[in-house]
Amino acid sequence: MGTVERRRWRGASALTLLCATALLAVSAMTGVAQAAPMPEPGAKSLEQVRKEIDELYRQAGTATDAYNLAEGEAKAQSAKIVEIAKQVVAGQDRITALKNRAGAAARAQYRSGGMPAGAQLVLSNNPSQFLDGADRIRQGEKATTDLLSEMNRTQSDLQQYAKDASAQWEKLEANRIKQETSKKQIEEKIKSAESLESKLQAEEKARLIQLEQEAQYKAQTAWLSTGVLKEINTSASESGKKAVQYATAQMGKPYEWGAEGPSSFDCSGLTSQAWRAAGRSIPRTSQEQLRLLPKVAIKDMRPGDLIIYFDDATHVGMYVGDGAMIHAPRPGRNVTLAGAGSMPIKAVVRPDA
């Protein structure tokens, strides 16, 4: 076994031992294995409650991704509307300048009496001077024609700006409705989950945490048992190191849906801000991160890469090495270290590929 493999094996073993120790500590501290009350006939088991709470938070996560995406689109549309407004102001200023030029040309023609060129030639005492003047008149007429054409183009641009602004306002309103709908869904799911959890006794809540850890430990152990870490031995890039440093510095901060720091985060808020700190701007949501960032094989995964979880890509964590990742789990939990295989992996993406 090489040095790198030994180091990663030790890291994986340490993470497994950490999970196991945490489980034992919870059991020893609470004594729930002996103290938990027997469920009433027909009542849901604590494991059923755990799965129901998990599913509610998963649904809240789906709505959170929709909310974040709509919010990002709304910001982009607002920026477009501001840009259109600037173009409208510039166009109106241009129209004013063109009208002033047109007025000056009209006044010059009025001063010449508007006399036809042939009559001016007959009455001129200096035909050569007149011909020079006539050439300047032709140039002036062309300039006037060009000026009028430019005015027409500018007017047409202003009409198009108005149409564009109207279209952006419609999109902005549609996204506002999407945000409101998603917000209601998020609040409803979180409220339902919190209501279920609030009905538990203190020892049941402790046991619930233990069940969560057991489920994660079981999934992580199964993932590690495939020998996946034997293949994962890639070092982090310089940008990846910076992203990992940022993410690890946020450990212990609470999850909050829609949050991007600095005091709280949701899952994709954490990963997008970590890579922003590393000098890379990436999509805001886990689904967009999956869609737009380059994918890499799990065996090629390196610290700083993002692991997208679940079939609907509604959760994301950052791989930090040795089979572990950092993520913002869900409401009521803090940014923490967890096994990279503790949830179903959909894909791995690399922001700095």
Side-chain angles (χ1 to χ4, degrees):
M1 182 182 294
T3 302
V4 173
E5 289 179 336
R6 283 199 300 274
R7 186 168 68 250
R8 296 199 178 278
W9 182 85
R10 286 198 301 271
S13 300
L15 181 61
T16 302
L17 180 61
L18 178 65
C19 292
T21 303
L23 292 176
L24 291 173
V26 171
S27 295
M29 180 177 64
T30 62
V32 292
Q34 293 79 25
M38 292 293 292
E40 296 178 5
K44 294 178 182 177
S45 70
L46 200 55
E47 176 62 12
Q48 288 174 321
V49 172
R50 181 194 71 79
K51 289 181 178 179
E52 190 171 342
I53 289 173
D54 277 356
E55 180 57 26
L56 285 167
Y57 280 127
R58 283 262 296 110
Q59 292 172 8
T62 302
T64 297
D65 236 32
Y67 177 92
N68 288 336
L69 181 60
E71 184 178 45
E73 290 175 345
K75 287 179 180 177
Q77 284 145 11
S78 294
K80 287 180 181 178
I81 290 171
V82 170
E83 185 58 33
I84 290 170
K86 291 178 180 178
Q87 292 172 329
V88 168
V89 170
Q92 289 172 336
D93 289 345
R94 183 65 178 158
I95 287 289
T96 299
L98 291 171
K99 285 181 177 179
N100 289 338
R101 284 172 53 192
R107 289 191 294 273
Q109 186 178 15
Y110 176 77
R111 286 194 297 270
S112 70
M115 189 178 294
Q120 292 184 44
L121 175 60
V122 171
L123 297 174
S124 175
N125 294 325
N126 189 334
S128 177
Q129 184 179 14
F130 165 76
L131 291 174
D132 289 340
D135 185 56
R136 287 195 295 273
I137 289 173
R138 283 194 297 272
Q139 292 175 1
E141 289 174 344
K142 182 179 184 303
T144 300
T145 301
D146 291 345
L147 185 149
L148 292 174
S149 296
E150 188 171 354
M151 285 181 67
N152 288 333
R153 285 196 302 272
T154 305
Q155 291 281 16
S156 178
D157 287 344
L158 287 173
Q159 291 174 356
Q160 185 59 49
Y161 295 154
K163 290 180 182 178
D164 291 345
S166 177
Q168 292 302 326
W169 276 116
E170 289 177 3
K171 290 180 181 178
L172 194 63
E173 177 62 13
N175 272 300
R176 185 191 66 77
I177 294 171
K178 282 168 59 178
Q179 281 180 272
E180 288 298 321
T181 301
S182 296
K183 182 178 179 181
K184 289 178 182 177
Q185 291 174 344
I186 294 164
E187 291 172 343
E188 287 171 1
K189 299 302 180 184
I190 291 176
K191 185 177 179 180
S192 296
E194 289 175 342
S195 176
L196 278 174
E197 201 162 353
S198 69
K199 294 174 183 176
L200 301 176
Q201 301 296 322
E203 60 268 24
E204 290 177 316
K205 290 180 180 179
R207 175 61 179 160
L208 185 67
I209 294 174
Q210 185 182 4
L211 288 173
E212 287 179 7
Q213 292 174 335
E214 286 175 352
Q216 293 168 5
Y217 175 71
K218 182 178 179 181
Q220 175 72 355
T221 302
W223 185 66
L224 292 175
S225 69
T226 64
V228 65
L229 285 190
K230 293 178 182 178
E231 298 181 325
I232 302 173
N233 56 14
T234 308
S235 300
S237 64
E238 287 304 311
S239 295
K241 290 177 183 177
K242 292 178 182 178
V244 169
Q245 288 170 357
Y246 180 94
T248 54
Q250 313 313 312
M251 288 180 64
K253 294 183 178 180
Y255 178 103
E256 181 184 356
W257 67 267
E260 299 177 86
S263 58
S264 59
F265 297 86
D266 64 18
C267 65
S268 57
L270 176 64
T271 54
S272 60
Q273 288 303 306
W275 272 101
R276 182 185 294 274
R280 300 273 179 153
S281 179
I282 67 172
R284 170 64 176 87
T285 70
S286 55
Q287 291 174 342
E288 288 296 280
Q289 288 169 2
L290 172 66
R291 188 173 73 87
L292 298 174
L293 297 179
K295 296 177 181 62
V296 296
I298 291 178
K299 67 181 180 63
D300 297 324
M301 187 163 59
R302 69 189 187 195
D305 287 348
L306 305 184
I307 307 175
I308 309 297
Y309 292 101
F310 303 111
D311 287 340
D312 55 1
T314 51
H315 193 69
V316 60
M318 178 179 290
Y319 186 64
V320 295
D322 293 331
M325 61 92 174
I326 287 176
H327 70 144
R330 66 166 176 81
R333 300 291 183 262
N334 298 331
V335 175
T336 189
L337 187 73
S342 58
M343 292 174 284
I345 297 175
K346 182 175 180 65
V348 178
V349 296
R350 179 165 295 164
D352 61 340

